[in-house]
Every structure is written in structure tokens, then in C-alpha cells.
Amino acid sequence: MPTSPTISVPQGGVLFRPGQDCGGFVVVHSGTVRVSLTGENGREIVLYRVRPGDICLQTFGCLVRGTSYGAEGIAETDLLIEMISPAAFQARVTNDPAFLHMLFAAVAHRFADLERLVEDVALTGIPARLARALLRLIDASGTVTATQEALATEIGSAREVISRQLTGFARSGLITVGRGAIHVLAPDGLRALAGTGLA
């Protein structure tokens, strides 16, 4: 099957918004797409991220059901993507068994991610959810480059709640908080808060 032209999207670029029609199936070659949902109360939560090898459930659902987007997709980093047109997507689903197998495997993996998100929001307290987010976002130097607002969006909470919880983590010697960055001092302590195997 021929490939579609690749497209560069700068960090912060909007790939889709709620109510927008789907322009095609997005294949991420490099970078990360953050997909988030905003509730009626204005609170935002990150649903998942799309990296190379992942699929976007929002896009998949729109193409399969013929509906518009219900969430927002933002380029969290600079992106290099391929946009497969709806017609080409349908043709590949019908005629390309390898593509179909990859699609089903990726959908199953993504649903597992969403199940974990529902478990987090419904059954897990703020300390564990924040610890998991910090461990998920930490870089090789032990730093999380994120604002309190971004962390609130990450776990579907309020900035004030995040501020109080980070202060508690700092008092416990788990982290230090700087301007726009958090330095993790005790990752094992965060893992204990997050729950074994759930970080």
C-alpha cells in the first residue's frame, strides 16, 4: 500500500478539537500527541498520549462510526505524522491483513490504558494518582518539567489540590519544587505511594 505524505506539526499545534470532523487516520512517526477531555465544569483531564506505534482512539472511533471528535489532540512535542485519508483507511482495513492486525492490537492496548485511567479517577486517591503522574513524566535526570496546572490536567484535579499535595510530598522528602519543574529525590517513595506495579 502506498504511504501518505508526512506532515510536520510544531509543539502546541492543535490536531483536532471537539465537534471537528475527522480528516483521516493519524500515524505518528515521531513525537507525542496529548489527547484530553474537558468536562462541563471546565476541568480537563489527559485521556492518553499517542506515540509512534500507538493509535488514537478518538480518530479510530470517528472513522469507524462517522462521528466528529469529542476530545482535543495537541502536539505535546514537535511531530512528524502521516495522515491516511478516510477512504484509504477503509481500503487498508479491507485489503491489508497486517494493517488490520496492527490496528486491533493497538486498540486493545489503548483500551487497557483507558481502563487504568477509569480506575485511577474512580478508585484511587490524589496522592497515588499524583505519584503515578510524576513517575510517568520524569526524565532521565529525575526532573518533571510541568506546571501545577499541567499536573492537575494530567490527573483530572484542581491546581490548588496539586499545590497542597506537592507541598506534602516535599515535606516528606520525596521531591523539591522549583519554578515550572519538580525534582524527584525519592522515586522509590513515590512508587510506594503509587502502588506496586501501577506507576
Side-chain angles (χ1 to χ4, degrees):
M1 290 279 180
T3 58
S4 306
T6 54
I7 303 167
S8 296
V9 181
Q11 182 179 15
V14 178
L15 273 71
F16 53 82
R17 286 195 169 99
Q20 194 174 57
D21 290 336
C22 181
F25 184 75
V26 175
V27 178
V28 177
H29 290 288
S30 66
T32 305
V33 179
R34 185 181 72 246
V35 180
S36 60
L37 183 66
T38 302
E40 292 182 2
N41 61 0
R43 186 169 294 172
E44 185 180 4
I45 186 170
V46 175
L47 297 176
Y48 53 84
R49 288 175 169 83
V50 185
R51 299 181 175 92
D54 296 336
I55 72 161
C56 175
L57 277 185
Q58 279 284 316
T59 299
F60 176 75
C62 291
L63 287 170
V64 171
R65 295 178 294 150
T67 57
S68 57
Y69 282 107
E72 183 174 58
I74 301 288
E76 192 165 52
T77 66
D78 289 342
L79 293 175
L80 187 64
I81 63 172
E82 179 185 345
M83 182 74 77
I84 302 174
S85 72
F89 172 78
Q90 295 295 342
R92 291 190 69 172
V93 167
T94 302
N95 302 315
D96 186 342
F99 178 77
L100 186 62
H101 176 77
M102 178 278 296
L103 194 63
F104 282 168
V107 167
H109 177 75
R110 184 59 75 203
F111 269 118
D113 289 344
L114 288 179
E115 285 176 350
R116 283 192 290 270
L117 174 64
V118 171
E119 179 188 351
D120 267 2
V121 173
L123 304 175
T124 307
I126 294 293
R129 286 160 60 190
L130 182 56
R132 292 179 189 184
L134 293 174
L135 291 167
R136 195 163 55 241
L137 299 173
I138 194 171
D139 65 19
S141 70
T143 301
V144 176
T145 306
T147 64
Q148 293 181 10
E149 190 69 39
L151 288 170
T153 297
E154 190 72 26
I155 68 169
S157 186
R159 190 195 63 76
E160 296 78 10
V161 175
I162 298 300
S163 178
R164 288 195 298 271
Q165 194 61 65
L166 289 175
T167 299
F169 284 2
R171 285 176 180 160
S172 299
L174 299 172
I175 63 170
T176 58
V177 181
R179 195 183 193 96
I182 296 158
H183 304 284
V184 176
L185 305 178
D188 287 344
L190 289 180
R191 290 188 190 98
L193 278 174
T196 304
L198 295 175

